[in-house]
């Protein structure tokens, strides 16, 4: 009943507003009578043309015998000094009606009442909208029931070191007394840092699932709002709910959306800084006896406010990196458990062919393979499905609908053959996996290499080799087609980028082991250089790229027969796998350099 009172009040106000509006409208629509002189009124009376008179102190409303209505103003005090006039009118048969001069109070104040009602309704609507918005935005954090959380550490693969670092949090949430008896304090906050798709959110869910505690989760963007104070209210509500549970995990995804370093010139920084300040205060206000652990994830730890990272807030940073070969194999096995798979599938071979893939990429590979097997009518996923799915994720989908002209096909074949021959001839290059002139993604052709082992650092020789391989396509166009095309644009861009890293970040140039701002960008990581130094940096970048170009030209000039053989094979079958490439090159006298 109490909840109905505001609605009933609003309904009554609306009805009153409508009634006043209708009454005022009806009154305002009555036409004003014509005004005549008082002497004309007297002549009408003498002539017997007056049917009725409405008397008031302010005016006389007269209805004539021809049904016209007119009005006149009597002289001041006329009826007081001429009382017999009224009697004479009655004697002449004129209908007399006396009325008050004051109009209806409701009609008199109708415009003012209408304005007040409208303003009241407007204020009530703004109040309900604001309170409704605040009440809804304060509840954006979702809570996962511990009984329904099925994610465990066994479902998280490829991040063994990260799991070891957070395992003690699970033990604390299960048996807090064992740690408290020794005077130990569990970290209040754990920051998961790593590239996108490496399983940071999945790892946080696994912690909650292993500990059997509620899991409150929200995104950093949930706390950002244009209304002042709303973000801070959301943070207060989130931690208030967390304290009700006693022991729980609060997970904030994409922490950099709200935890960016304070300051700057953003128009919205004041509200964001208020939200960040509230988050800092809440993380400081935890009771040490409470089992509330805040876990956050970000891939931009470098832009976070330093106050977040100090001990007592996010005490511990756990780096969740892309998995290595062993980790990729474990991740594939986890995802393949949900898919009907042929027993002959070599999971390690697929894992070896996916260097640099994140957990999300590997999950996408398995899903694409299952879809491909379904489209082909197979009852289980086979190795060819997984390999095709890997190539699709790595290089893009085949675009067989693009109709290349014969000249474009020939140019593309020699271009890709140039890449492949340089890669096969140089000892530092990774093995060739596939060469195709079928358009994939935005590329008209692709030369794909797969490393034999995971590579964590790069030598100067390896980077020089990569530049030479990238230049192989352009050199092949010049040597065999006597022309140049725009197909080498991406190769040139990548080669220039590698050379820029070598000079500006890796110190692999005669300029020495110094860091410079790359391409004139003030990114805060390199030294501010003079114009003369910038010219020397540009000259070194050009020299490295041109050395790779000359090296590719020397290789292709020596192995012209191998380029011709590989290009003609591509024109025949359009796509060649690693063993087929080696066979074609071996027949032309070129074997892979080791």
């Amino acid at each position: 009943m109490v909840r109905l009172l505001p609605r009933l009040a609003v309904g009554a106000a609306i009805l009153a507003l409508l009634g006043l509006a209708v009454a005022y409208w009806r009154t305002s629509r009555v036409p004003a009578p014509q005004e005549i002189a008082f002497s004309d009124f007297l002549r009408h009376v003498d002539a017997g043309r007056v049917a009725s008179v409405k008397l008031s102190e302010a005016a006389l409303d007269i209805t004539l015998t021809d049904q016209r209505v007119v009005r006149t103003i009597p002289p001041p005090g006329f009826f007081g000094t001429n009382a017999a006039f009224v009697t004479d009118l009655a004697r002449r048969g004129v209908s007399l009606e006396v009325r008050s001069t004051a109009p209806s109070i409701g009609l008199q104040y109708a415009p003012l009442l209408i304005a007040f009602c409208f303003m009241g309704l407007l204020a009530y609507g703004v109040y309900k909208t604001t309170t409704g918005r605040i009440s809804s935005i304060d509840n954006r954090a979702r809570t996962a029931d511990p009984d329904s959380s099925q994610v465990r550490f066994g479902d998280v693969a490829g991040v063994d070191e990260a799991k070891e670092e957070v395992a003690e949090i699970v033990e604390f949430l299960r048996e807090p007394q064992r740690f408290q008896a020794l005077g130990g304090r569990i970290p209040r906050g754990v920051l998961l840092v790593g590239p996108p798709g490496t399983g940071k959110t999945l790892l946080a869910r696994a912690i909650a699932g292993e500990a059997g505690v509620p899991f409150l989760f929200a995104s950093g963007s949930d706390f950002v709002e244009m209304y002042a104070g709303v973000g801070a209210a959301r943070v207060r509500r989130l931690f208030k709910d967390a304290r009700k549970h006693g022991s729980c995990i609060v997970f904030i995804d994409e922490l950099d959306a709200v935890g960016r370093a304070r300051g700057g010139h953003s128009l919205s920084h004041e509200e964001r800084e208020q939200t960040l300040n509230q988050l800092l205060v809440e993380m400081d206000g935890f009771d040490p006896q409470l089992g509330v652990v805040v876990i956050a994830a970000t891939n931009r730890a470098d832009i976070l406010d330093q106050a977040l990272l100090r001990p007592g807030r996010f005490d511990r940073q756990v780096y969740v990196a892309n998995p290595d070969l062993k980790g990729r194999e474990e991740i594939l096995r986890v995802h393949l458990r949900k898919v009907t798979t042929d027993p002959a599938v070599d999971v390690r071979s697929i894992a070896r062919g996916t260097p640099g893939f994140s957990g999300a990429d590997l999950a996408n590979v398995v899903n694409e393979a299952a879809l491909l097997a379904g489209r082909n009518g197979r009852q289980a996923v086979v190795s060819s499905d997984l390999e095709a799915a890997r190539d699709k994720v790595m290089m893009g989908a085949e675009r067989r609908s693009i109709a290349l002209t014969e000249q474009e096909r020939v140019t593309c074949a020699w271009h890709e053959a140039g890449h492949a021959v340089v890669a096969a001839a140089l000892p530092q290059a990774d093995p060739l996996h596939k060469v195709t002139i079928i358009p994939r993604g935005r590329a008209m052709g692709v030369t794909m290499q797969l490393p034999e082992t995971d590579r964590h650092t790069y030598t100067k020789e390896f980077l020089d080799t990569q530049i030479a391989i990238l230049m192989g396509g352009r050199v092949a166009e010049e040597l065999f087609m006597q022309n140049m095309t725009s197909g080498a644009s991406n190769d040139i861009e990548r080669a220039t980028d590698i050379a820029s890293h070598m000079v500006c970040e890796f110190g692999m140039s005669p300029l020495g082991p110094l860091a410079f701002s790359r391409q004139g960008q003030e990114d805060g990581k390199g030294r501010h250089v003079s114009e003369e130094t910038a010219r020397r940096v540009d000259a070194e970048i050009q020299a490295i790229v041109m050395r790779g170009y000359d090296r590719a030209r020397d290789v292709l000039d020596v192995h012209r027969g191998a380029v011709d053989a590989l290009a003609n094979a591509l024109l025949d079958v359009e796509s060649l796998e690693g063993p087929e490439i080696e066979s074609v090159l071996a027949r032309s006298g070129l074997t892979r350099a080791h």
Side-chain angles (χ1 to χ4, degrees):
M1 185 63 183
V2 176
R3 291 186 176 181
L4 291 178
L5 289 178
R7 299 183 182 180
L8 293 175
V10 172
I14 292 175
L15 291 177
L17 177 63
L18 290 176
L20 288 171
V22 170
Y24 184 75
W25 175 75
R26 292 182 62 183
T27 304
S28 63
R29 285 182 59 87
V30 177
Q34 177 187 359
E35 290 193 7
I36 62 175
F38 189 73
S39 58
D40 292 338
F41 165 62
L42 295 178
R43 281 194 292 272
H44 285 307
V45 172
D46 291 339
R49 292 194 293 271
V50 177
S52 64
V53 177
K54 294 180 180 179
L55 303 175
S56 69
E57 295 180 0
L60 299 177
D61 289 332
I62 305 134
T63 303
L64 301 177
T65 54
D66 58 1
Q67 303 302 315
R68 286 189 302 136
V69 177
V70 294
R71 172 177 293 178
T72 187
I73 307 299
F78 176 80
F79 294 104
T81 57
N82 298 279
F85 179 74
V86 177
T87 306
D88 184 58
L89 286 177
R91 184 173 52 79
R92 289 174 178 273
V94 176
S95 175
L96 299 175
E97 179 182 348
V98 180
R99 66 180 181 179
S100 174
T101 57
S104 170
I105 295 178
L107 297 180
Q108 181 179 2
Y109 295 101
L112 188 60
L113 291 174
I114 291 174
F116 274 126
C117 289
F118 177 77
M119 293 301 294
L121 290 174
L122 181 62
Y124 180 79
V126 171
Y127 167 75
K128 290 299 291 181
T129 302
T130 305
T131 55
R133 180 180 288 114
I134 291 177
S135 63
S136 64
I137 59 182
D138 283 350
N139 288 318
R140 285 196 179 179
R142 284 80 68 192
T143 303
D145 188 353
D147 296 332
S148 63
S149 180
Q150 302 298 322
V151 181
R152 298 292 186 270
F153 279 158
D155 301 315
V156 183
V159 287
D160 295 338
E161 295 83 1
K163 285 195 293 185
E164 290 176 3
E165 288 197 58
V166 299
E168 67 181 34
I169 297 176
V170 175
E171 296 179 11
F172 173 82
L173 292 172
R174 284 177 175 172
E175 303 176 88
Q177 299 81 8
R178 180 158 60 94
F179 292 87
Q180 293 168 0
L182 298 173
R185 180 182 63 82
I186 199 70
R188 289 183 178 176
V190 178
L191 183 63
L192 304 178
V193 183
T198 52
K200 299 183 289 294
T201 303
L202 187 65
L203 182 59
R205 287 185 177 275
I207 296 172
E210 290 286 342
V213 297
F215 182 75
L216 282 69
F217 57 98
S219 172
S221 60
D222 290 339
F223 302 108
V224 180
E225 183 62 57
M226 64 178 289
Y227 300 100
V230 172
R234 289 176 179 161
V235 173
R236 286 192 295 270
R237 180 61 180 272
L238 172 63
F239 283 88
K240 180 180 178 182
D241 293 343
R243 292 186 182 95
K244 292 178 182 178
H245 292 289
S247 293
C248 70
I249 288 177
V250 177
F251 177 65
I252 303 176
D253 200 7
E254 303 298 341
L255 180 64
D256 51 276
V258 68
R260 190 182 295 264
R262 285 168 288 188
H265 305 287
S266 172
L267 295 178
S268 61
H269 73 280
E270 183 176 353
E271 163 62 11
R272 184 177 55 78
E273 288 183 5
Q274 290 182 15
T275 306
L276 174 57
N277 289 337
Q278 186 63 46
L279 178 60
L280 297 175
V281 170
E282 293 291 343
M283 292 192 69
D284 262 346
F286 276 144
D287 184 348
Q289 304 301 318
L290 284 177
V292 178
V293 178
V294 181
I295 300 177
T298 181
N299 51 18
R300 300 288 307 278
D302 56 312
I303 64 172
L304 293 180
D305 195 280
Q306 291 302 310
L308 274 174
L309 305 179
R310 73 158 176 80
R313 290 192 177 119
F314 285 105
D315 308 82
R316 182 176 301 178
Q317 292 190 34
V318 178
Y319 188 71
V320 185
N322 283 326
D324 56 10
L325 175 60
K326 179 175 176 293
R328 293 198 300 274
E329 182 179 355
E330 293 174 353
I331 292 173
L332 285 172
R333 293 188 185 280
V334 168
H335 292 295
L336 286 172
R337 289 200 304 244
K338 308 171 186 177
V339 177
T340 304
T341 309
D342 188 277
V345 170
D346 186 356
V347 180
R348 186 170 184 82
S349 175
I350 301 299
R352 194 185 71 82
T354 53
F357 275 40
S358 66
D361 293 330
L362 296 171
N364 193 24
V365 168
V366 174
N367 184 63
E368 290 288 348
L371 296 178
L372 181 60
R375 284 197 299 268
N376 292 331
R378 283 189 281 272
Q379 301 300 316
V381 174
V382 297
S383 294
S384 60
D385 296 325
L386 288 167
E387 291 173 358
R390 176 199 58 199
D391 293 346
K392 181 179 179 180
V393 173
M394 186 177 293
M395 299 183 293
E398 291 186 354
R399 301 166 63 195
R400 292 184 178 272
S401 59
I402 296 182
L404 298 179
T405 64
E406 186 60 26
Q407 179 64 29
E408 289 175 331
R409 288 183 74 252
V410 171
T411 301
C412 185
W414 258 267
H415 181 101
E416 300 304 329
H419 287 310
V421 170
V422 174
L426 297 180
Q428 295 289 334
D430 290 326
L432 289 165
H433 169 68
K434 177 180 286 189
V435 180
T436 177
I437 59 172
I438 300 173
R440 280 182 175 269
R442 291 180 295 178
M444 294 297 102
V446 177
T447 298
M448 180 180 173
Q449 298 171 262
L450 287 180
E452 295 177 325
T453 59
D454 289 337
R455 185 176 285 106
H456 304 290
T457 59
Y458 303 99
T459 64
K460 183 176 184 299
E461 291 76 11
F462 175 79
L463 295 176
D464 285 333
T465 298
Q466 291 301 110
I467 294 176
I469 294 171
L470 290 169
M471 292 292 103
R474 166 55 61 87
V475 172
E477 292 176 0
E478 295 178 359
L479 289 179
F480 297 90
M481 307 300 298
Q482 287 77 46
N483 204 346
M484 293 183 288
T485 71
S486 61
S489 60
N490 182 252
D491 301 329
I492 295 171
E493 180 181 354
R494 290 166 58 194
T496 305
D497 188 60
I498 293 174
S500 179
H501 277 288
M502 293 173 67
V503 174
C504 300
E505 296 180 21
F506 304 155
M508 297 178 179
S509 74
L511 295 180
L514 296 174
F516 304 99
S517 296
R518 298 180 55 222
Q519 304 296 331
Q521 296 178 356
E522 301 296 337
D523 55 6
K525 295 182 180 180
R527 297 175 61 246
H528 301 289
V529 299
S530 64
E531 292 185 6
E532 176 62 28
T533 303
R535 281 194 290 269
R536 293 178 62 192
V537 168
D538 291 340
E540 288 300 328
I541 293 174
Q542 181 183 12
I544 291 174
V545 174
M546 293 311 297
R547 281 200 301 271
Y549 176 88
D550 293 337
R551 190 179 183 189
R553 177 178 284 274
D554 293 341
V555 170
L556 296 184
D557 207 18
V558 172
H559 300 287
R560 283 177 172 267
V563 177
D564 283 329
L566 189 57
N568 288 317
L570 287 172
L571 291 174
D572 290 338
V573 298
E574 293 189 330
S575 185
L576 295 172
E577 300 291 337
E580 298 171 328
I581 299 170
E582 292 184 3
S583 176
V584 172
L585 295 179
R587 288 197 298 270
S588 61
L590 174 62
T591 58
R592 182 192 167 198
H594 294 280

